[in-house]
Amino acid sequence: MKPQKDIEPSVAVVRPNSVTERACRLYEGTRLETFLDLGETPLADRLLTDADLDKTELVFPLRAALCADCSLMQITETVSPQILFEHSYPYFSSFSPALLEHSRNNALDLIARRGLDSNSYVIELASNDGYLLKNYVEAGIPVLGIDPADGPAAAAQKIGVTTRCAFFTRELAEQLRAEGVRADVIHANNVLAHVADTNGFVAAIARLLKDDGVAVIEAPYVEPLIDRCEFDTIYHEHLCYFSVTALDKLFRRNGLYLNEIKHLSIHGGSLRLYVESRERVGESVKAQLAHEKTRGIDAIGYFRDFSTKVEVLERELLTLLRRLKAEDASIAAYGAAAKGATLINTAGIGRDLIDFVVDRNVHKQGKYMPGQHLPIRPTEALLEVQPDYVLLLAWNFADEVLEQQKIYRARGGKFIIPVPAPHVV
C-alpha cells in the first residue's frame, strides 16, 4: 500500500529521528518478512495547532513484518521515544469511563486475590494520569507511577499518585532497586508494545519484582487484529503486536514466566498477562499456545493475505463515504485517537469527506488530526450541528460511545463503524 494522495510528497523528509530495523526486536535475528506496507504516515498522536498547519509534518514508513524465529509481529521503523511521548503527549486515560471501570476492577481484583495492604507496594509503568494507581491509593496501598509524558504525570501527582516523570529502563530499575524498591505488583498496561528495547524492558521488570510478586501486563492480541482487520491499531507508537507464542519466548528469555492469561474485549481484543519469576504455567497459557499452533499464528502464512483485506476494507469505506457525500449527507467523525489517524491517512479520508472530528479529551479539542488536518471539536458539536453520519474512529469503545450519544441517535443520527467491515448503525 502506498502513501495516499492527501499526504503531500513534500512532507516526507529525511528522518534523523528514526531507525529502520533489520533485526527482530526480541530475538535479534534477521529473518523478518514484511507482509503489510501502509506507506509513509505522520505520527498518529502528533496533533497539530493552528500554528503547525503550514509547517512540514514528519512522516515515517509504516510497515509490519513477522519474525520467522520467534513469531513476533512488529513494525520495522523505530521512531525516537522522545519524539513520540515526552512533550505535549495528548492521551489522558481518565477521559474514558469504560477504561476507568476496567482498571478499577483490575486493581480491586488484585487487592483481594493477593491480600495487598499498607505493607505492599505497587508500581505502574506508563502510569499516565494515575487512572489505575489511584485505586490503590484509595485503599491505603503505597504506589509509584513511572511515565515520561510530563502532562499526564503532572495530572497524576495532582490527585495524589506519586509519579516519576521518566522512561522505564534497565538503568532506572537498577537505581530503584538500589533505593530498596521492590514491588508486589507491577502493572504495565498497553506499554509493552511501545518500547524499542523489548528485552531490556522485561529484564527491568524482573529486577524490581519481589520473588513472590506478579507483573500484570495488558497488551492487544494479534489474533483479533488479523482476523477482524484491525489494521488501524498499527502505528509508530506500537512497535510490537503480540501472540502468546512470542510473549512466552520473550518472558523466558528474561528470567520470567507467563503463567496465566485472561482474554479481554477492550481495545478490540487484548490479553491480560500474569507474569512471575517462578514457573507454574497454567492451563490458560498451555491451551492458547496449542491454539496458536493449530491456527498457524506462529508462521507467516497466517499473515500473508492481510494486506489484501486492508485494501478491501479501505475501498469499501471510501465507497460508502463518497456515496453518502454524493447524496448530500453531512459526515463527522468521533475519536481523535491514534487508530483514527492511521485510518484516515492510509485511506485518504480528508476534508472532502469529513467535516470535523469530536473528542471528549479537552487536551485534543481545538487541534487538528495529523496528515489530513481535520479539526477536533468537543463532543457537544454533534448535537449542535447534527451531522447525518458519524464515522466512529474510536470503534474500540463503540458501546460506550453509542450510549453517550443516544440523544444524537434519537434525532436520527447514524454511526459508521469501520471495523471489521464498514457498516452503519
Side-chain angles (χ1 to χ4, degrees):
M1 301 182 70
K2 302 300 181 184
Q4 300 297 320
K5 62 180 182 180
D6 290 78
I7 303 178
E8 296 295 335
S10 61
V11 302
V13 297
V14 177
R15 292 167 292 272
N17 299 307
S18 73
V19 175
T20 301
E21 304 291 347
R22 307 298 180 190
C24 173
R25 300 176 189 279
L26 197 167
Y27 259 40
E28 287 101 37
T30 57
R31 295 205 299 154
L32 292 176
E33 182 169 341
T34 299
F35 61 88
L36 179 68
D37 186 350
L38 294 174
E40 303 233 349
T41 70
L43 298 178
D45 264 322
R46 183 58 62 90
L47 303 182
L48 308 178
T49 65
D50 286 311
D52 296 325
L53 293 179
D54 293 328
K55 297 178 181 177
T56 298
E57 284 187 74
L58 291 174
V59 296
F60 301 87
L62 189 56
R63 304 184 185 99
L66 189 77
C67 174
D69 295 313
C70 70
S71 307
L72 177 63
M73 176 181 163
Q74 54 205 283
I75 63 170
T76 56
E77 195 79 8
T78 301
V79 180
S80 164
Q82 285 75 22
I83 296 293
L84 287 172
F85 300 113
E86 280 193 332
H87 300 296
S88 301
Y89 186 61
Y91 184 74
F92 286 71
S93 300
S94 292
F95 282 97
S96 169
L99 182 59
L100 288 177
E101 181 180 5
H102 169 87
S103 303
R104 179 169 178 78
N105 291 338
N106 186 12
L108 295 179
D109 175 66
L110 284 162
I111 291 171
R113 286 175 59 178
R114 303 189 72 85
L116 303 178
D117 56 25
S118 59
N119 297 311
S120 308
Y121 200 69
V122 177
I123 295 175
E124 185 181 10
L125 314 177
S127 50
N128 201 261
D129 58 8
Y131 71 105
L132 184 151
L133 288 181
K134 68 180 182 180
N135 297 292
Y136 291 102
V137 173
E138 290 171 3
I141 299 168
V143 304
L144 173 65
I146 300 172
D147 197 289
D150 49 6
Q157 287 282 155
K158 192 174 292 187
I159 62 170
V161 175
T162 303
T163 304
R164 288 203 185 196
C165 189
F167 286 100
F168 181 66
T169 61
R170 296 189 205 216
E171 292 74 23
L172 180 56
E174 292 298 342
Q175 178 185 338
L176 290 171
R177 186 173 171 121
E179 296 170 5
V181 174
R182 301 289 295 282
D184 297 274
V185 176
I186 295 178
H187 283 283
N189 291 342
N190 300 299
V191 62
L192 187 60
H194 290 64
V195 292
D197 183 9
T198 313
N199 286 296
F201 188 85
V202 174
I205 291 175
R207 290 294 289 161
L208 285 187
L209 203 59
K210 289 182 180 178
D211 292 342
D212 61 349
V214 61
V216 183
I217 300 168
E218 292 186 14
Y221 185 34
V222 73
E223 186 176 27
L225 187 160
I226 299 299
D227 287 355
R228 291 174 46 83
C229 203
E230 297 172 356
F231 76 98
D232 53 347
T233 60
I234 299 172
Y235 43 89
H236 296 102
E237 288 177 14
H238 285 178
L239 301 172
C240 299
Y241 305 82
F242 295 104
S243 63
V244 175
T245 301
L247 287 163
D248 184 60
K249 293 175 181 177
L250 170 63
F251 293 121
R252 287 178 180 274
R253 190 173 192 194
N254 292 286
L256 294 172
Y257 299 94
L258 176 56
N259 289 332
E260 181 185 354
I261 61 172
K262 288 184 179 179
H263 289 269
L264 309 172
S265 60
I266 196 166
H267 298 310
S270 300
L271 296 174
R272 180 175 292 158
L273 318 167
Y274 296 84
V275 180
E276 299 170 294
S277 58
R278 358 172 229 176
E279 184 175 9
R280 48 177 185 176
V281 180
E283 185 57 34
S284 60
V285 177
K286 295 176 182 176
Q288 202 63 28
L289 288 171
H291 167 78
E292 291 184 357
K293 192 72 176 175
T294 299
R295 287 213 66 195
I297 296 174
D298 58 344
I300 190 62
Y302 176 72
F303 299 84
R304 279 214 173 97
D305 65 347
F306 187 59
S307 179
T308 300
K309 292 178 181 177
V310 171
E311 290 175 353
V312 169
L313 187 153
E314 289 186 338
R315 185 167 59 248
E316 290 178 350
L317 180 58
L318 283 170
T319 298
L320 172 60
L321 295 175
R322 288 167 178 161
R323 176 176 63 77
L324 293 175
K325 292 300 287 187
E327 296 170 356
D328 291 326
S330 54
I331 309 174
Y334 190 111
K339 59 170 49 66
T342 293
L343 179 62
I344 65 173
N345 283 307
T346 59
I349 300 172
R351 290 195 179 192
D352 58 327
L353 296 173
I354 302 294
D355 299 326
F356 58 89
V357 180
V358 299
D359 200 285
R360 297 182 73 232
N361 186 338
V362 296
H363 302 283
K364 297 182 179 184
Q365 294 165 10
K367 297 183 178 179
Y368 300 83
M369 295 289 284
Q372 301 296 339
H373 299 177
L374 301 175
I376 303 168
R377 300 175 60 179
T379 53
E380 290 78 9
L382 293 186
L383 294 181
E384 294 168 2
V385 179
Q386 193 66 30
D388 299 306
Y389 295 87
V390 176
L391 175 61
L392 186 52
L393 299 176
W395 50 260
N396 52 318
F397 290 113
D399 292 342
E400 175 184 331
V401 173
L402 294 178
E403 175 62 23
Q404 285 173 6
Q405 297 302 320
K406 57 187 177 183
I407 297 177
Y408 163 77
R409 298 179 72 201
R411 291 180 177 177
K414 295 180 172 61
F415 276 87
I416 302 167
I417 299 180
V419 174
H423 60 286
V424 176
V425 295

